[in-house]
Amino acid sequence: MGRYGFSRAFLQGSTCVCGPGRWAIQTWVFVLAISVLFCQVAGFRRRISDRSHVPLTPVILNTTVTNYTYLAGETAILYCAVENLGTKTVTWRRAVPSLILTVGLYTYFGDRRFQTHNVLHKDQWNLHIRNVSLEDEGKYECQVSTKARDIRRNFYLSVKEQLSTIHISGKTYVEKNQRLVLLCNASSDSYPPDDLDWFMNGQKIVSDKSEGIAITKSVTYRNKTIRSELVINQARMRHGGTYVCRTSDELVTNFKVNVLNGKENVKRGTVISDKRKFVGGDGRHEDENISSHLFGSWTLLSFGIILCVQT
């Protein structure tokens, strides 16, 4: 081995002088590659570290509207988009009266109807108010938590009362063994009620084939109306009473039905097959009886006149 790192191989009968060993060249290349890679990683880390020290100020974007109108009972959503939030948090508060509602995703106020939902891909921190009421109307504020408290945006929520209607139509008086039909319609400004139930004298009514009771329902989204028809094929005396129609959003109305017996109808004069009324059991009609009384009266009168003339 020479002082320059060359190796000599002595073969029998001949002499050969070879160049540097392969292992030395491979080692140099490996060390050089590791050095270059280390420098690249260190430089990248330095650039990331320098960039993290650049302060970014949060900004509330004006990409969302500030005035919202909802109907009572709906879920109101106020949209607030914040850019460059970083480690800061978004706070929703009510302006008048001054009241903190949510801090980040935590509901600070005791009312669980108020919740903040974070939409990551839109950088939005939106305030959701479930079952919004007329008392929730007013001014709200989306604020980024900073010492100056100058990063904020005001919103106004208007709440309108729903104009809902419900009524029952049908016959007030129904004869025994006749068909009883009641129709209930319920409508709303925003959407039709989810469901509708029937009650009679405090008991819920359900379809029952054995009792001849059928309930059908239909929903019309165009008119925002739900419709229910109650049919009792043969009304009995027990079916008379107060019927109540109630929707899932607690709209209630009632309707009273009277079931009449056939004998009672004749006494009340509601069902008469002939305009003439029978008197007694001999089959004579009332007009025939009146004629006989008149004939007797004329006879007595004529007899009285004859006596007067003779005297």
Side-chain angles (χ1 to χ4, degrees):
M1 180 71 66
R3 61 177 180 177
Y4 298 104
F6 294 92
S7 62
R8 295 179 180 178
F10 297 93
L11 300 176
Q12 186 179 7
S14 63
T15 302
C16 177
V17 180
C18 301
R22 289 184 177 180
W23 63 270
I25 296 176
Q26 293 176 353
T27 302
W28 293 346
V29 172
F30 179 78
V31 171
L32 179 62
I34 292 297
S35 301
V36 173
L37 181 60
F38 177 80
C39 293
Q40 292 293 330
V41 172
F44 179 77
R45 287 183 177 178
R46 189 179 300 111
R47 290 194 297 271
I48 294 298
S49 178
D50 294 340
R51 185 176 299 176
S52 64
H53 286 84
V54 178
L56 298 176
T57 303
V59 178
I60 298 181
L61 305 178
N62 59 355
T63 55
T64 60
V65 298
T66 56
N67 292 322
Y68 295 89
T69 302
Y70 288 92
L71 294 173
E74 294 181 330
T75 298
I77 304 177
L78 309 183
Y79 297 87
C80 181
V82 183
E83 193 177 47
N84 303 329
L85 183 60
T87 58
K88 306 294 184 180
T89 57
V90 175
T91 301
W92 275 97
R93 60 188 302 136
R94 188 161 185 177
V96 180
S98 182
L99 181 66
I100 297 177
L101 301 175
T102 63
V103 178
L105 298 178
Y106 174 72
T107 300
Y108 188 84
F109 186 53
D111 195 342
R112 299 299 301 177
R113 296 183 304 120
F114 296 86
Q115 292 182 346
T116 296
H117 293 200
N118 179 215
V119 184
L120 293 175
H121 66 282
K122 293 184 178 180
D123 293 329
Q124 290 183 354
W125 296 80
N126 305 325
L127 178 65
H128 290 233
I129 308 175
R130 293 183 292 105
N131 193 21
V132 66
S133 63
L134 298 178
E135 290 75 15
D136 297 324
E137 183 175 281
K139 188 177 179 181
Y140 292 80
E141 184 179 270
C142 175
Q143 181 186 101
V144 177
S145 58
T146 59
K147 292 182 178 180
R149 296 183 180 179
D150 56 349
I151 305 176
R152 62 181 67 187
R153 194 177 189 205
N154 294 325
F155 299 84
Y156 192 85
L157 172 64
S158 298
V159 181
K160 293 184 177 181
E161 188 175 4
Q162 291 196 32
L163 299 177
S164 303
T165 60
I166 183 172
H167 69 277
I168 299 177
S169 58
K171 293 182 178 180
T172 305
Y173 293 94
V174 178
E175 298 179 22
K176 183 180 177 181
N177 296 326
Q178 295 299 313
R179 200 164 182 253
L180 169 62
V181 180
L182 297 178
L183 183 63
C184 181
N185 285 283
S187 61
S188 177
D189 284 345
S190 56
Y191 49 85
D194 296 330
D195 201 3
L196 189 152
D197 294 315
W198 287 95
F199 298 85
M200 199 274 285
N201 295 337
Q203 300 295 323
K204 185 176 181 179
I205 305 174
V206 296
S207 296
D208 190 343
K209 291 183 178 180
S210 62
E211 292 290 332
I213 301 175
I215 298 176
T216 57
K217 301 177 184 178
S218 61
V219 178
T220 305
Y221 289 98
R222 183 176 181 180
N223 298 330
K224 302 173 184 177
T225 302
I226 184 172
R227 177 179 180 272
S228 180
E229 186 181 52
L230 170 64
V231 177
I232 301 178
N233 289 328
Q234 290 185 337
R236 301 287 190 267
M237 299 303 296
R238 66 176 183 272
H239 294 142
T242 301
Y243 288 80
V244 175
C245 178
R246 187 180 71 184
T247 65
S248 56
D249 51 1
E250 299 182 354
L251 290 175
V252 180
T253 187
N254 59 74
F255 190 85
K256 187 173 180 60
V257 174
N258 298 280
V259 179
L260 304 177
N261 198 337
K263 296 180 180 179
E264 296 177 354
N265 293 344
V266 174
K267 292 180 180 179
R268 297 182 183 183
T270 55
V271 179
I272 301 175
S273 59
D274 196 345
K275 292 182 180 179
R276 297 175 299 176
K277 294 184 180 179
F278 292 97
V279 178
D282 56 357
R284 293 182 304 162
H285 291 91
E286 185 177 8
D287 53 355
E288 294 178 357
N289 189 35
I290 294 174
S291 300
S292 62
H293 282 292
L294 292 175
F295 179 77
S297 300
W298 280 107
T299 304
L300 292 175
L301 181 60
S302 301
F303 183 74
I305 293 173
I306 294 172
L307 290 177
C308 293
V309 171
Q310 291 179 353
T311 57

